[in-house]
Amino acid sequence: MCKETQVLVIGGGIAGIVTATELAKQQIQVILVEESPYIGGKAAYQTQQISSLSNGEKLRGFELVDKWLQKLNQYSVEVMLDHTVIGLYENRDVSVVHKEKIRRIKAKNIVIATGASEKPVIFDGWTLPGVMTIEAAQQFINRDFVRPGKRAVIYGVSSFTLGLVELFDKTGIKVEAILVSGDDSSENLSFGSIPVFHVQEVTALSKGNKVGSLAVALCNGQLFEIEADFICTDGGRSPVLETLSIFDCDIQYSEKLQSFVPSYDEKMETSIENVFVAGASAGFTSYEAILASAEIAAASIAEKA
């Protein structure tokens, strides 16, 4: 059995939700597929306030998702959770799998909004239990209601760091230090009373079967050890490209992002006709740009309808 729709949106994060909502507003038939059992993506577990919304709203990640889900639920968009895109048929129909059952979807237009994944930070001992990405720590606390430990070290700095520090403070986790690779003293980083160190080398030391401390070599040659129950790493983000590769979209390397990104035009259309990209999948990192790209992709498809 083959489902038919005007637009298939792949990815149920904030970009996919916005795209589907904007299309449904125009009375365009939409199916949204998401590979996880949850809708909202990573933003649904983010508690930090978003500072990059163009309308000046003060929302946290989960509040932004809730706002757009309320809008989405006003329309008859078919949402297929726990469905993964696995390939294409010869006529370009999309093959998705759900609980070992393969389904077929025929769509005139495709929007790929599969988001981005965190890059690992590689250092001695990075595979020890207790070393995790900052998004993993957020999900432990916000989704699973589990505190990873009482003392943390954050290795790497991004726009998410301050929100993570606030989250740890609210849950009784002490941040022992924030580590930044390299000797860029021009970065005047400040996180209240938390010390910030520019490091040349880091080694995670085990205590029992998990992380117990970090041996740190600073760029000035100083050596010392920091005790911690767990380590949060932030190596930046890279667009998830698997689905784009299935559709044979052109990929190029971005020096700015230090990762591969899809090629697309001003309408968010990729190198493949009627296949669009939106959100972090396109390499955008700010919420303002993520939302704008989703709205542009939806408007571009609506023009064709």
Side-chain angles (χ1 to χ4, degrees):
M1 182 179 176
C2 181
K3 283 180 171 287
E4 293 193 24
T5 185
Q6 289 176 276
V7 182
L8 173 64
V9 176
I10 303 171
I14 189 62
I17 293 169
V18 172
T19 304
T21 302
E22 293 298 317
L23 287 165
K25 271 187 189 178
Q26 306 295 323
Q27 297 184 332
I28 294 173
Q29 183 188 15
V30 182
I31 292 176
L32 186 153
V33 298
E34 163 58 37
E35 67 177 3
S36 80
Y38 312 98
I39 194 166
K42 297 180 177 69
Y45 308 111
Q46 291 173 0
T47 57
Q48 70 269 21
Q49 194 170 82
I50 300 166
S51 59
S52 60
L53 295 176
S54 58
N55 58 7
E57 282 187 297
K58 301 296 183 182
L59 297 174
R60 299 180 184 274
F62 70 91
E63 293 172 334
L64 181 66
V65 170
D66 288 345
K67 172 187 171 181
W68 278 96
L69 280 178
Q70 289 177 21
K71 293 182 179 183
L72 179 70
N73 291 335
Q74 296 175 18
Y75 305 101
S76 57
V77 173
E78 183 176 356
V79 178
M80 301 170 65
L81 298 178
D82 202 19
H83 283 71
T84 303
V85 173
I86 59 172
L88 297 178
Y89 292 91
E90 289 184 2
N91 65 350
R92 308 292 289 180
D93 287 355
V94 181
S95 176
V96 300
V97 64
H98 172 66
K99 296 181 178 178
E100 300 183 357
K101 182 178 180 181
I102 295 176
R103 301 185 178 187
R104 186 171 185 155
I105 301 176
K106 180 186 292 292
K108 294 180 180 178
N109 295 278
I110 306 289
V111 181
I112 299 173
T114 46
S117 60
E118 290 184 287
K119 297 178 185 177
V121 178
I122 309 299
F123 56 95
D124 286 344
W126 73 287
T127 59
L128 281 172
V131 180
M132 64 192 72
T133 65
I134 63 171
E135 288 178 359
Q138 287 178 321
Q139 290 189 20
F140 268 127
I141 295 168
N142 295 329
R143 186 185 69 186
D144 303 325
F145 306 108
V146 173
R147 186 170 64 176
K150 295 181 179 180
R151 298 173 301 172
V153 171
I154 299 174
Y155 189 5
V157 173
S158 72
S159 58
F160 295 98
T161 306
L162 181 58
L164 187 68
V165 169
E166 292 175 351
L167 177 63
F168 284 174
D169 183 59
K170 289 178 181 177
T171 51
I173 298 171
K174 181 183 178 184
V175 179
E176 299 289 351
I178 295 175
L179 309 181
V180 183
S181 293
D183 188 19
D184 188 358
S185 56
S186 64
E187 291 186 33
N188 188 21
L189 300 172
S190 177
F191 296 92
S193 61
I194 301 171
V196 178
F197 298 112
H198 292 269
V199 300
Q200 185 174 19
E201 189 174 350
V202 171
T203 301
L205 304 176
S206 62
K207 182 179 181 181
N209 62 350
K210 66 183 293 294
V211 166
S213 63
L214 274 175
V216 177
L218 300 186
C219 294
N220 62 11
Q222 184 181 356
L223 303 174
F224 59 93
E225 189 172 330
I226 307 172
E227 292 189 355
D229 299 324
F230 68 104
I231 303 165
C232 285
T233 64
D234 186 1
R237 284 148 190 81
S238 180
V240 176
L241 301 175
E242 285 83 356
T243 305
L244 287 152
S245 298
I246 287 174
F247 285 88
D248 203 26
C249 300
D250 287 348
I251 305 295
Q252 60 187 359
Y253 188 76
S254 167
E255 290 288 347
K256 181 180 178 181
L257 295 176
Q258 296 290 294
S259 62
F260 287 93
V261 298
S263 301
Y264 55 87
D265 61 19
E266 69 280 358
K267 294 185 176 182
M268 302 307 300
E269 190 168 16
T270 69
S271 58
I272 304 301
E273 187 178 6
N274 298 329
V275 177
F276 297 78
V277 65
S281 301
F284 295 114
T285 55
S286 74
Y287 275 102
E288 181 179 12
I290 287 170
L291 299 182
S293 67
E295 291 170 349
I296 291 170
S300 301
I301 293 172
E303 285 179 5
K304 293 184 173 186

